[in-house]
Amino acid sequence: MKTKLLLLFLFVTGIVTSQTIDLELFADGFDNPTEIVNAGDDRLFVAEQSGHIKILKTDGTVNETDFLDISSIVNFSGERGLLGLAFHPFYNVNGYFYVNYINDEGNTVIARYTKSEDNDNSADPASAIIMLTIEQPFSNHNGGCLRFGPDNYLYIATGDGGDAGDPGNRAQDVNGLLGKILRLDVDADAPYIPDTNPFVSTDAADEIWALGLRNPWKFSFDRSNGDLWIADVGQGAVEEINKMPSTTAAVNYGWKCYEGNQEYDTSQCSDTGVYTGPVAQYLHEGSSRCSITGGYVYTGTNYPNLYGKYFFADFCTNEIGYVNIDNILTWAGTFEGGFTTFGQDFDGELYIAGNNGSVYKITDTTAGLNEFENSQITIHPNPANDEIFIDIKNGITIGSATIFNMSGQLVMETEIRTNDTRIDTSKLQSGVYMLSLEMDGSKYNRKLVIN
């Protein structure tokens, strides 16, 4: 039987090409950056494959002293090295952060470190606690990405263990940790297993959240709704992008039965298995494209036209693309950089970096077309206390107004029916929010400060 698998959620609707973005040099001088993350403030932390973590400030300068240097215990060669970095959701309280690296034995290590007690710009190298070690059969396909989900659990991406074609069928093996997304409760005692993990109390590995992945080099959560986006590097024909609600567990993304939505090797696949296909994909055939680098859904406020789009890049062609709300994949431009990672700052603005050592900020070449300042809409006061007013000129009507906190959680939603609308903000805590107005199918976004 040629096809014996049920594929769900395959929503690929098309691929188009459009030049809509540009890159603005933000900083340079990095050595093989593998990760750019924030710790809940205005700093960016850049992890280098060799084992160094550097602090990048808002003016584009880099602290002279590393935040952390673990190069002496990191195996840096080929696809190995320091591959992941994530800060605890309450880092400002406990000082905890987590790294994913390959050790001298060639195995994956997930470790927790702690910020120095007397220096916010330094970590204590002696504070390491090893939380998980995973044996790697080959040197490639290590995955490596770490992210905290909306549930405050730590998610870990692992590749299928390497070689080619997953010879051990490890991605489909529910008793192994390779080719998976794992989920840990880092605030619990070892072995850090959440009770709600899908394979707890079954004949399978308790750490598993999702399976059937080849080399999910990067994944992320949409700050606006929690959706999990996974960019999975293909074998030789297809690069795929997967998306699922963050609460959906035990999803099998199909490798090695499928590469993208194309059958690859079903000889060891279940006749009755349910496999989830990608929401978007692109092919190698007819191009030099070869390896996807996953990014983030844009939730910033500087470029409203980018809002809600998931950004990614191809390592070989230096092309940057995005997937919109309708799962249409668009190539937005070709640049230089050998892109290995994206970054997201505290405000939701996006960055990208690669093996040329430069960090770029992603900008919109059509910026201004959808800005409040160039529209018929004004809001006041801003900063605000107990209320804001939305003034709509020339009789333009708006359907709705929504307010999100900077973690992407919806905190208020209301309809707007008049040209001069008052919104009660007295129940909002002091802080920074994003106000999103929808008018005739277009969205207008503005940062809102509540005193």
Side-chain angles (χ1 to χ4, degrees), residues 55-211:
I55 294 178
L56 176 56
K57 294 182 288 188
T58 55
D59 61 359
T61 61
V62 181
N63 284 2
E64 293 184 3
T65 304
D66 288 351
F67 176 69
L68 179 68
D69 177 2
I70 57 171
S71 58
S72 62
I73 61 173
V74 170
N75 184 334
F76 170 31
S77 61
E79 295 183 15
R80 294 169 166 171
L82 173 58
L83 306 178
L85 171 65
F87 287 84
H88 193 284
F90 302 107
Y91 172 77
N92 64 329
V93 176
N94 58 35
Y96 295 156
F97 65 98
Y98 302 81
V99 295
N100 184 333
Y101 66 90
I102 305 299
N103 65 13
D104 289 337
E105 288 73 41
N107 298 322
T108 289
V109 175
I110 310 299
R112 188 191 82 189
Y113 282 83
T114 305
K115 179 182 70 66
S116 298
E117 291 185 1
D118 56 353
N119 187 351
D120 288 341
N121 291 319
S122 178
D124 179 2
S127 64
I129 295 177
I130 305 300
M131 306 187 68
L132 182 65
T133 301
I134 304 171
E135 184 176 350
Q136 293 286 353
F138 298 95
S139 63
N140 59 337
H141 300 183
N142 300 298
C145 189
L146 301 175
R147 298 281 185 263
F148 277 93
D151 51 14
N152 291 335
Y153 291 143
L154 179 64
Y155 291 72
I156 304 164
T158 67
D160 64 12
D163 201 14
D166 194 4
N169 201 32
R170 292 175 286 269
Q172 291 296 320
D173 179 9
V174 295
N175 293 297
L177 302 184
L178 296 175
K180 311 294 193 301
I181 298 291
L182 313 178
R183 187 173 76 147
L184 300 184
D185 180 358
V186 297
D187 296 320
D189 295 330
Y192 315 107
I193 307 298
D195 293 338
T196 51
N197 274 9
F199 296 106
V200 169
S201 301
T202 70
D203 185 19
D206 292 344
E207 296 90 344
I208 295 174
W209 180 255
L211 66 154

Side-chain angles (χ1 to χ4, degrees), residues 5-6 8 18 33 54 63 121 125 151 155 172 175 181 183 192 216 243 261 296 332-333 362 387 390 413 419 425 436:
L5 310 174
L6 177 61
L8 300 179
S18 175
K54 301 180 182 299
N63 284 2
N121 291 319
D151 51 14
Y155 291 72
Q172 291 296 320
N175 293 297
I181 298 291
R183 187 173 76 147
Y192 315 107
K243 179 178 70 171
N261 66 352
Y296 296 86
I362 295 177
E387 61 185 3
I390 302 174
E413 184 172 16
N419 288 355
T425 58
S436 180

Side-chain angles (χ1 to χ4, degrees), residues 16-49:
V16 297
T17 301
S18 175
Q19 178 77 40
T20 59
I21 67 168
D22 204 352
L23 301 185
E24 177 184 305
L25 180 64
F26 187 68
D28 55 19
F30 295 98
D31 183 18
N32 293 288
T34 54
E35 194 59 279
I36 307 170
V37 298
N38 74 81
D41 55 38
D42 59 7
R43 297 173 297 176
L44 291 173
F45 292 76
V46 182
E48 297 178 329
Q49 192 175 355

